[in-house]
Amino acid sequence: MPPPSIGALWVAHPINQSAIIHRIAGILPSVSPPSAPPILTPLVGRVSLLSQLEGSAARLVTLTGPPGVGKTRVALELFARRGERGAWIDLSAVRSEAELCARVADGLGLRPSWLEPVDLVDELGWAIEGRGETWIVLDEAEGCVDALRRVLPRWLALAPDTRALLTSRERLGVADEALFDVPPLETEDAVALLAARAGMDEDARGQLEPLAEALDGVPLALELAAARLTLLPPGAIAGRLPSLLDVLTARGGRARASLRDTLQSAWDALDPRDQDALARCAVFAGRFSIEAAEAVLGEGALDALQRLRDRSLLAREGEALKLYAPIRGFLADQGSGDARERHARFFEARADQVGEDAIDELRAAHAYRPSRALALGLARILVRRGPPREALDVLAEHEGEEVERLRGRAHEILGHIEAAVRSYEAAGDLPALAAANLSRGRIEEARVCADEAVERAPDDVEARWARGFVAQAEGRLADAARDYAAARDRADGTRAARLRADIATVHLQQRRLDEAREGLEAAIAALDAKEAPVPLALAEGNLAILLQELGELDRAEALFERGVGRLREVGHLLFTAHLTAYAGMLAHERGEIDEAARRYELALGSLRRIGDARLIAVVGGAFGALECGRGRLEAARERFEEAQRNAEEVGDPGSSRALALHRLHLRLAEGAGTTLGETIDRLDDETTRRSDDARFALRLLRRALGHGAIVLSPEDHALTLPDGVAVDLRTRDILWRLVEAFASARLERPGAPLDVDTLIEAGWPGEKVLPGAAPNRVKVALSTLRKLGLRPWILRGEGGWFLDPSVPLRR
């Protein structure tokens, strides 16, 4: 005959309840409970999540997330870190309340077989309380969520010193439940996991990032992929995800079902209407909106989405939803009815409105229904972010002005300038035609197109931009600034940011350096890398040119590299060649001759294919100067001859002046350096100052003529200039103090101008100078310094004067 139940004793002896609790161990004899699975590999990532969990005071915590996301692994880590008395209970095979009670009793080391079923829940609660302070992990609880909703709150009420942690795809939804979503790994951690499991070193990790992103950072999918990295390259694995789902794995030391079995279990737990809804979601290629989901799922979509989200089968990213890669791979075998047709119709109706994030959806819709609307919507995005060849393929079967306009843009990006011109002519797109004519060096034709565009539509943003672009190319900077400003006042978003960058480049040519820097940095901050990679890259390149002039060469180099990377990713051959050329000029100025030559050669190869005569002249001239420095005078002459032919074709004053300065390196190499001073001074005029290319050429030439640095000797009150000229200021204290002020500002903040008040304080310290007299004093002193040989290196900028930051300075 079994002993009396604890429930009966509890009711019959309310005064002696504590004694009853102490009898529990005898009435329910102890057995050895199953232990938690051993941890065989270090946990990757999850630092923030574990910190939050360890800091939580909640007595009931539920870790939710999709299959394979690592809920169990996080719980294991937390279980191992806590030194409390605890129990690990696997509920993966539990479905009913009776099975749950039996499994929990077993997990706590109790024998409940003799208990009266009516008292089982409460008696287990008292048994748990009898253990004192304890911590129970209920792993893989999604199969018995309904049972847990009924009994777990009761157990926690009876055992106030007990805390419970659940891992489940579905929350309980009971009072005081603290939910913690276990997200996929961040890309950096996902790459680290792949590399660690595959045994790859640090140098090989760069190629793993695309795979980590394609698998959405789901740890179990990453583990399976890592097992294949010994056989397949990373790029070949993501497309084989459905087959990867069948790979058996061991997790936490226990033999587990394949990921496909895990997903199949989640699928089988859905009723048919939710299975259909989930399968329909698989037609989306990436993130999708609620509106799109309602169009594809049909009636009852919102409720179905909520149920799928509650079961962690849909992820939410901001206002959008998505399927994780493993779930998508599993659903590849499930039917989706008419979902693809609904998907195509939805995006076809909105093809002219969707943004960059919808490119994969447009691709999928266009593949199923290659309509003109979808082709145009997809091509608009492709010409912004690439690849342009895909845009041409998408447009191949369609006609019309908008098609020709997009086709021209794709050709222009690919460097097919003549083809772009034909498309723009067919589309009647005068602003684009003006820009294309500039790209092939036809300035006069570009001006005609731009003027006509403004005449037809004076308030059109693109027309005013094109006219400003032509004016800037011709050196009419005030006209360019006016047109850019007029266009910016009518623009918003990306176009306004692009025009702000263009205005800043005019300021750069006007030597208004502070304004130029501020404008370019603001434009870079405003431009989105996905929406506007090309304008962003050009703004970065122009800021790099400015920083190069200011002597901030390391940052300039980083900006050039970043800009070139963006343009290569888009496939923009023309502008990639432009920034590669200017990065070569930076290397040239740093004395990295071989690297400069490599970049010049790369840029010229592309520019010749494109037919950009202006930049061929600029780069060819710089390359010729470089060849002179290497003593290869015949090669230099060939470079100069090609550059001269292109400069004459274009007729651009700035590029022609740059070439003239570069050609002086031949005379220098032939021994005429002592006679070049007057020629250089004569060429240092307004034309040179307005051209980035000419100023670069002038800096190179002056360095080649002298020692390449300004050297101050404070003890002697003397300095040596880059051309070797010594300046003795021992008897000119005012001038020496001004030179010291310029040098200090140059070292502390290159390119920062000194205004009249600062120079007065430096040159005439403590002396009271009438406001009207101060500018004249400064003007006379600076004029004297220029006559003594500092003319090339004392520069005037917006707000004052400064020492040329590109020239080395030593004390």
Side-chain angles (χ1 to χ4, degrees):
M1 177 176 178
S5 74
I6 296 176
L9 291 171
W10 190 272
V11 173
H13 303 281
I15 296 176
N16 202 23
Q17 288 173 354
S18 61
I20 298 174
I21 292 173
H22 290 293
R23 289 184 54 201
I24 289 173
I27 297 174
L28 302 177
S30 177
V31 296
S32 297
S35 61
I39 297 176
L40 302 179
T41 55
L43 180 66
V44 176
R46 308 303 194 193
V47 175
S48 175
L49 177 59
L50 285 168
S51 176
Q52 293 176 49
L53 288 167
E54 289 183 312
S56 174
R59 292 183 59 216
L60 172 57
V61 171
T62 301
L63 300 182
T64 61
V69 82
K71 301 182 293 294
T72 295
R73 183 62 184 85
V74 170
L76 272 173
E77 187 72 17
L78 195 62
F79 190 78
R81 290 186 182 191
R82 288 185 166 173
E84 308 165 65
R85 183 181 180 187
W88 183 279
I89 302 173
D90 180 5
L91 300 182
S92 57
V94 173
R95 296 294 178 266
S96 67
E97 184 174 318
E99 291 173 328
L100 172 63
C101 291
R103 186 69 190 88
V104 168
D106 185 49
L108 294 173
L110 306 172
R111 289 195 182 98
S113 58
W114 54 269
L115 293 174
E116 300 174 17
V118 70
D119 293 323
L120 194 53
V121 172
D122 280 357
E123 290 177 4
L124 275 174
W126 292 320
I128 294 170
E129 183 192 15
R131 295 171 59 92
E133 187 174 330
T134 191
W135 192 58
I136 301 174
V137 177
L138 303 170
D139 187 33
E140 297 194 39
E142 53 272 339
C144 56
V145 166
D146 288 339
L148 281 167
R149 287 184 182 126
R150 292 190 295 270
V151 304
L152 187 55
R154 179 62 177 163
W155 288 341
L156 292 176
L158 291 173
D161 293 329
T162 297
R163 301 171 69 187
L165 174 72
L166 277 69
T167 72
S168 171
R169 294 192 295 272
E170 185 176 353
R171 56 187 255 173
L172 293 188
V174 299
D176 299 324
E177 179 185 23
L179 289 174
F180 288 84
D181 187 48
V182 181
L185 293 174
E186 297 290 340
T187 300
E188 183 179 351
D189 291 331
V191 168
L193 178 61
L194 277 171
R197 300 300 186 262
M200 301 175 73
D201 57 27
E202 290 284 340
D203 294 337
R205 291 190 177 192
Q207 59 186 303
L208 296 177
E209 186 170 321
L211 175 59
E213 291 177 346
L215 297 176
D216 285 327
V218 176
L220 186 51
L222 295 168
E223 299 265 7
L224 301 179
R228 286 288 187 257
L229 282 172
T230 57
L231 177 65
L232 296 171
I237 293 177
R240 297 172 178 262
L241 184 57
S243 63
L244 282 178
L245 301 180
D246 293 318
V247 178
L248 292 176
T249 185
R251 186 173 56 178
R254 295 183 294 169
R256 307 290 295 209
S258 69
L259 180 53
R260 181 178 295 280
D261 290 339
T262 302
L263 293 166
Q264 185 67 51
S265 174
W267 172 265
D268 292 340
L270 300 175
D271 63 31
R273 58 179 179 165
D274 288 345
Q275 288 179 343
D276 180 66
L278 187 61
R280 285 173 176 270
C281 289
V283 304
F284 292 105
R287 298 168 70 247
F288 54 93
S289 66
I290 297 292
E291 183 187 12
E294 288 178 315
V296 171
L297 272 61
E299 186 179 353
L302 202 58
D303 290 338
L305 292 171
Q306 183 67 63
R307 290 191 296 271
L308 294 174
R309 178 73 185 100
D310 289 345
R311 289 166 174 78
S312 301
L313 296 174
L314 279 181
R316 180 178 174 182
E317 292 188 357
E319 296 181 0
L321 299 170
K322 69 172 288 185
L323 288 175
Y324 290 123
I327 297 175
R328 185 182 307 283
F330 171 80
L331 293 171
D333 297 333
Q334 306 295 331
S336 59
D338 64 345
R340 193 166 298 282
E341 177 69 27
R342 288 170 173 254
H343 176 274
R345 287 203 304 267
F346 177 84
F347 283 98
E348 183 177 30
R350 294 158 180 79
D352 61 341
Q353 303 167 5
V354 296
E356 300 291 313
D357 289 343
I359 187 170
D360 290 333
E361 303 307 329
L362 287 176
R363 280 191 176 115
H366 184 264
Y368 184 76
R369 181 201 287 266
S371 68
R372 187 176 188 277
L374 284 168
L376 287 172
L378 181 55
R380 287 187 195 99
I381 296 176
L382 290 170
V383 297
R384 289 199 300 270
R385 57 170 284 181
R389 292 189 187 281
E390 184 183 347
L392 291 175
D393 292 340
V394 165
L395 296 169
E397 303 299 322
H398 303 284
E399 297 178 352
E401 286 187 7
E402 181 64 14
V403 170
E404 288 297 343
R405 184 176 291 108
L406 291 169
R407 190 175 282 136
R409 185 76 181 105
H411 280 306
E412 189 177 352
I413 292 169
L414 290 166
H416 306 157
I417 303 301
E418 297 302 325
V421 167
R422 290 193 295 272
S423 288
Y424 291 146
E425 287 175 340
D429 190 338
L430 290 172
L433 187 56
N437 277 320
L438 274 183
S439 295
R440 58 178 182 167
R442 308 284 179 82
I443 293 181
E444 180 63 32
E445 294 176 45
R447 186 190 313 117
V448 170
C449 291
D451 288 344
E452 185 179 347
V454 174
E455 185 178 342
R456 289 184 182 182
D459 294 333
D460 181 69
V461 170
E462 294 303 316
R464 297 300 290 265
W465 171 83
R467 194 169 73 173
F469 193 35
V470 173
Q472 187 176 7
E474 293 181 311
R476 295 184 288 112
L477 300 183
D479 292 342
R482 278 194 296 271
D483 273 321
Y484 285 155
R488 182 197 57 194
D489 291 343
R490 295 172 173 84
D492 56 16
T494 295
R495 292 203 295 181
R498 180 196 70 180
L499 284 158
R500 182 165 190 175
D502 290 332
I503 292 170
T505 63
V506 173
H507 291 159
L508 173 58
Q509 289 181 263
Q510 293 172 327
R511 311 303 296 146
R512 296 159 61 179
L513 301 183
D514 287 344
E515 292 174 80
R517 183 169 188 162
E518 180 184 353
L520 287 167
E521 288 179 339
I524 288 169
L527 288 165
D528 183 83
K530 288 185 177 181
E531 288 280 349
V534 174
L536 176 57
L538 295 180
E540 289 170 334
N542 281 310
L543 180 58
I545 291 170
L546 170 59
L547 295 176
Q548 182 179 343
E549 289 202 48
L550 295 178
E552 298 181 37
L553 302 187
D554 289 341
R555 189 179 173 208
E557 182 177 19
L559 284 166
F560 276 133
E561 292 297 326
R562 192 184 309 163
V564 168
R566 295 190 202 283
L567 293 169
R568 282 181 178 157
E569 187 174 346
V570 171
H572 204 304
L573 183 65
L574 174 62
F575 290 154
T576 298
H578 279 218
L579 287 201
T580 299
Y582 284 105
M585 293 177 195
L586 174 63
H588 193 167
E589 194 159 9
R590 298 185 84 157
E592 299 168 354
I593 302 303
D594 291 341
E595 178 62 15
R598 183 184 72 82
R599 296 193 184 216
Y600 286 158
E601 199 71 75
L602 281 173
L604 282 170
S606 297
L607 294 169
R608 291 184 188 115
R609 290 194 297 274
I610 294 166
D612 188 340
R614 190 196 72 81
L615 207 61
I616 291 172
V618 171
V619 181
F623 208 166
L626 183 146
E627 297 288 26
C628 287
R630 296 200 288 190
R632 301 173 54 180
L633 300 190
E634 191 56 41
R637 291 188 181 94
E638 292 177 4
R639 300 288 185 193
F640 288 139
E641 287 173 8
E642 179 190 25
Q644 187 65 43
R645 289 194 303 273
N646 283 274
E648 290 172 355
E649 179 184 340
V650 176
D652 172 50
S655 55
S656 295
R657 176 57 55 82
L659 177 56
L661 289 165
H662 285 313
R663 290 188 79 121
L664 292 176
H665 285 265
L666 269 178
R667 289 179 58 188
L668 183 63
E670 292 166 347
T674 57
T675 65
L676 288 181
E678 284 189 25
T679 302
I680 293 173
D681 285 343
R682 180 167 44 80
L683 293 175
D684 186 8
D685 58 11
E686 191 65 21
T687 298
T688 296
R689 295 188 193 103
R690 286 188 172 190
S691 168
D692 303 332
D693 304 318
R695 292 196 304 274
F696 165 72
L698 188 63
R699 293 197 303 272
L700 283 184
L701 188 59
R702 281 180 168 149
R703 289 188 181 189
L705 277 169
H707 302 147
I710 297 175
V711 181
L712 273 66
S713 301
E715 65 279 4
D716 299 325
H717 283 204
L719 63 153
T720 304
L721 302 179
D723 55 7
V725 172
V727 180
D728 186 350
L729 298 177
R730 281 177 294 183
T731 61
R732 299 184 172 190
D733 291 342
I734 291 173
L735 297 184
W736 175 252
R737 286 195 292 268
L738 291 176
V739 168
E740 283 271 67
F742 278 124
S744 297
R746 163 71 172 77
L747 293 172
E748 292 172 7
R749 190 183 172 197
L754 302 180
D755 59 19
V756 168
D757 292 340
T758 303
L759 291 173
I760 287 290
E761 180 62 30
W764 297 267
E767 184 176 336
K768 292 184 178 180
V769 180
L770 293 175
N776 190 55
R777 281 197 184 189
V778 169
K779 180 179 179 180
V780 171
L782 295 183
S783 177
T784 304
L785 285 173
R786 289 193 177 102
K787 289 177 182 178
L788 290 172
L790 276 77
R791 179 183 302 279
W793 299 286
I794 295 181
L795 306 179
R796 178 71 184 264
E798 184 72 18
W801 297 263
F802 57 95
L803 274 184
D804 185 345
S806 67
V807 178
L809 177 67
R810 297 198 296 272
R811 284 183 171 179

